[in-house]
Amino acid sequence: MRDVPDRPFSYWMEYGDAPAHPPPPDGLDVDVAVIGAGIAGICTAWELARAGKSVALLEADRVAAGVTGNTTAKLSALHGVVYQRLRGTRGREGAALYARSQQDAIGHVVAVCEELGIDCDLERVPAFTYAETHAEAVTVEAEAEAARAAGLPASYVRETGLPFPVAGAVRVEEQAQFHPRKYLYALLADLETRGGQIFEGTRVVGLREGEPCRLTTEDGRTVSARDVVVATHYPVFDRSLLFARLKPHRELVVAGVIPAAQDPGGMYLTPEGSTRSVRTAPHGEGERLLIVTGEKFTPGAGRVEERYERLEQWTTQRFPDVRLTHRWAAQDNEPTDGVPFVGALHPRAHHAFVVAGFNGWGMASGVMAGKLLAARITGQKLPWADLYDPVRLQPLKEAPSLLRFQAAAAGHFVGDRLPFVAGSGPASAITPGAGAVVRSGARHVAVHRDDAGELHALSARCTHLGCLVRFNDGERTWECPCHGSRFGIDGEVLQGPAVRPLERIHDFEDDEK
């Protein structure tokens, strides 16, 4: 059964908005300014306020709404098959530190919920990485050994709570899942109680490092701070060239109601079949909300509506009694060596910090980042600080991923600038609800025809580094395939690293008229 709205909308976002916050007064001066109010930014700001710092949290849109509002909200230290990779790139000690830091973050959420009395639907459940084919089960069994060697309570099993057989699975006990916005709203309320200040509708476009650092907003306001944290998901200030070490990807999510008796009892993920992730959440009397994620793709890859259809089909085949009610999409960035970047913004930075590259595991990693950065700024050092340090560079170990990441981006970056690059055809071929990049003289124009038949024309050049955007037909957005910037049909920035909207083109003529 299907009752999914035409436009994607996250289940978590239905919880509603926190009280609105105005932009900051010009000339605001604080100890720490945190740019970005997703889970990493909110947790960092809260940890710092709890440590006695005066904090300003600056968000371009609404708090806990962007990537964090479109998560699947799993708190897990089992991240696919990451521990085999970490043993190769960071050694056994690095893998063990990674496991400790993620487990510490999960325990921290549990402790904070108890301390503040937060009701955020927190549940302790096992996490699984499973395989349906015997070939992939070999990799999964090796991951069980690698995860166990890293210190996780991991085992290899052949039976799970899923309603279909598996060839094998890693099982890690005492992981968690929660409602992210309920948790973060409680942190925001406590942040303000501790003197922290929250500002929305505040896009930061300039950073001058110094003592103090100085931020400039889109409307010309300034904020001074001794320390600055860039927690914008993809860094809007990239002074350590992280753009070369991050690869953006999107994943689709469908959700729907199932009988509580059909709850598979855990959080599940398989790397097979373009990834499939399964979990449930509390919903109603005798019901659970089934949440299924998958169909990983690079922003701008197109055919998103087809991908939604494949994910819905997989879900209804595996869970025949589900009544689908929601669909949405998430975006994250894969780091070259599999470890997020949390620490100094660049090698010579003393008061500017960055957090990025969660690779789909931003809930536990965001909490971890908040603790790590707060410790760093208050003169402490956590045991895993060096593991996550963005200044790290291991040329031989990172080179394969570095080359792979940049091959596609370089192809777009160079190819989109060649004079013979054509558009997709005339604007008259664009049907209602669709969009395409067309040529208009020497310009490439991003054209969307809305449901009423009116055209919306924009420059097709991403305002980050100038690659040509592509249309996402499943979400009706424009996406940059180089670094993942996303724009609305009228050009507004939905997701960075771009900080400026696509230029509107007012003299474009509809060749259908």
Side-chain angles (χ1 to χ4, degrees), residues 210-457:
E211 296 186 11
C213 298
R214 182 174 176 175
L215 302 177
T216 306
T217 68
E218 190 175 36
D219 61 1
R221 300 168 193 252
T222 62
V223 175
S224 296
R226 182 181 185 278
D227 295 293
V228 170
V229 174
V230 181
T232 55
H233 190 250
Y234 198 112
V236 294
F237 304 113
D238 193 6
R239 297 171 186 181
S240 56
L241 300 181
L242 290 184
F243 73 87
R245 301 163 69 191
L246 291 168
K247 180 184 178 184
H249 64 258
R250 289 186 72 69
E251 288 186 273
L252 306 182
V253 185
V254 296
V257 179
I258 59 172
Q262 296 179 14
D263 181 3
M267 303 179 294
Y268 297 84
L269 180 138
T270 178
E272 296 175 311
S274 191
T275 309
R276 293 292 185 266
S277 169
V278 175
R279 65 156 286 201
T280 67
H283 190 262
E285 187 71 28
E287 296 178 333
R288 298 284 291 182
L289 184 76
L290 176 71
I291 303 169
V292 178
T293 309
E295 293 299 317
K296 184 182 294 186
F297 64 98
T298 300
R303 299 182 179 273
V304 177
E305 191 61 39
E306 290 183 14
R307 300 176 196 273
Y308 268 123
E309 291 173 2
R310 283 199 296 269
L311 190 60
E312 289 184 15
Q313 184 178 45
W314 186 93
T315 302
T316 53
Q317 286 176 344
R318 302 305 177 93
F319 297 87
D321 293 333
V322 67
R323 176 173 59 84
L324 293 176
T325 56
H326 294 78
R327 67 176 187 172
W328 68 89
Q331 183 160 317
D332 215 332
N333 303 298
E334 178 185 353
T336 43
D337 64 355
V339 177
F341 301 111
V342 186
L345 182 61
H346 56 84
R348 292 184 294 175
H350 298 291
H351 297 287
F353 305 90
V354 68
V355 51
F358 291 150
N359 199 24
W361 300 101
M363 295 295 101
S365 292
V367 174
M368 176 278 300
K371 287 190 66 178
L372 192 158
L373 290 173
R376 174 78 179 265
I377 290 170
T378 57
Q380 304 168 60
K381 186 176 181 179
L382 297 184
W384 39 83
D386 291 342
L387 174 72
Y388 292 99
D389 190 349
V391 176
R392 72 183 188 264
L393 183 61
Q394 307 169 93
L396 294 179
K397 294 179 179 179
E398 291 190 47
S401 294
L402 195 67
L403 293 173
R404 176 170 55 89
F405 287 5
Q406 292 312 302
H412 291 297
F413 188 79
V414 175
D416 288 352
R417 286 162 172 76
L418 297 176
F420 53 79
V421 175
S424 65
S428 58
I430 300 173
T431 58
V437 174
V438 305
R439 286 293 293 267
S440 177
R443 299 181 300 187
H444 284 89
V445 183
V447 181
H448 167 70
R449 191 182 298 278
D450 64 27
D451 292 334
E454 294 297 316
L455 291 188
H456 302 255

Side-chain angles (χ1 to χ4, degrees), residues 28-35 41 44-45 48-49 52-58 191 196-197 199 213 215 223-230 351 353 373-374 377-378:
L28 178 69
D29 188 11
V30 292
D31 292 335
V32 188
V34 180
I35 310 170
T44 301
L48 286 164
K53 297 290 185 180
S54 62
V55 181
L57 181 61
L58 309 169
L191 170 66
Q197 301 178 76
F199 303 103
C213 298
L215 302 177
V223 175
S224 296
R226 182 181 185 278
D227 295 293
V228 170
V229 174
V230 181
H351 297 287
F353 305 90
L373 290 173
I377 290 170
T378 57

Side-chain angles (χ1 to χ4, degrees), residues 74-109:
K74 297 192 292 186
L75 289 160
S76 175
L78 181 63
H79 298 170
V81 291
V82 73
Y83 290 99
Q84 295 171 80
R85 182 181 181 186
L86 288 176
R87 286 205 304 198
T89 59
R90 308 308 298 273
R92 287 182 176 270
E93 182 180 355
L97 283 171
Y98 186 89
R100 281 181 59 196
S101 68
Q102 299 293 319
Q103 288 282 76
D104 178 81
I106 297 167
H108 190 56
V109 170

Side-chain angles (χ1 to χ4, degrees), residues 117-141:
I118 302 174
D119 181 4
C120 59
D121 302 332
L122 182 70
E123 298 177 320
R124 302 304 297 267
V125 295
F128 298 81
T129 296
Y130 72 92
E132 292 189 69
T133 65
H134 291 287
E136 187 64 28
V138 174
T139 301
V140 167
E141 186 170 12

